[in-house]
Amino acid sequence: MGRKLLVALGLVLAAGSGAITGAMIATMTTAMATGGGFAGPGPGITGNDTGGIFPYSPAIEGSYQQIAEDYCARWARLAKVTSIHRKYGDYVSFICYDRPERIH
């Protein structure tokens, strides 16, 4: 709920002191209805063909590399976990690469 409110407030402030138009109201309504999902990482894996992040959880401690490998396999690439922040609210990050001798 907090994210929705902040997104809507940001849209209102961006409108400045001018009158709010129908398009602005439609944009604010859409942002609030979608929950501002475009504003950052979601609950699952967030990334692309070069790597990504997923939320840390001690319950899956031994599975981080496998999760990254499964994600990178979508692009027929290899995976390497690059950092694990062992704190709730932080993320495990990884990269996807195509040649074992070159990790970018």
Side-chain angles (χ1 to χ4, degrees), residues 73-95:
R74 297 176 182 187
W75 295 280
R77 300 184 94 183
L78 303 171
K80 178 168 177 54
V81 173
T82 55
S83 72
I84 302 171
H85 294 175
R86 288 178 169 85
K87 180 180 168 188
Y88 281 109
D90 278 343
Y91 294 90
V92 176
S93 63
F94 62 94
I95 59 168

Side-chain angles (χ1 to χ4, degrees), residues 29-79:
T29 304
T30 303
M32 290 181 71
T34 61
F38 52 84
I45 298 176
T46 301
N48 57 21
D49 65 328
T50 62
I53 60 174
F54 55 91
Y56 166 77
S57 173
I60 56 169
E61 183 72 36
S63 303
Y64 301 137
Q65 182 65 34
Q66 186 62 46
I67 292 169
E69 287 173 3
D70 291 345
Y71 184 79
C72 294
R74 297 176 182 187
W75 295 280
R77 300 184 94 183
L78 303 171

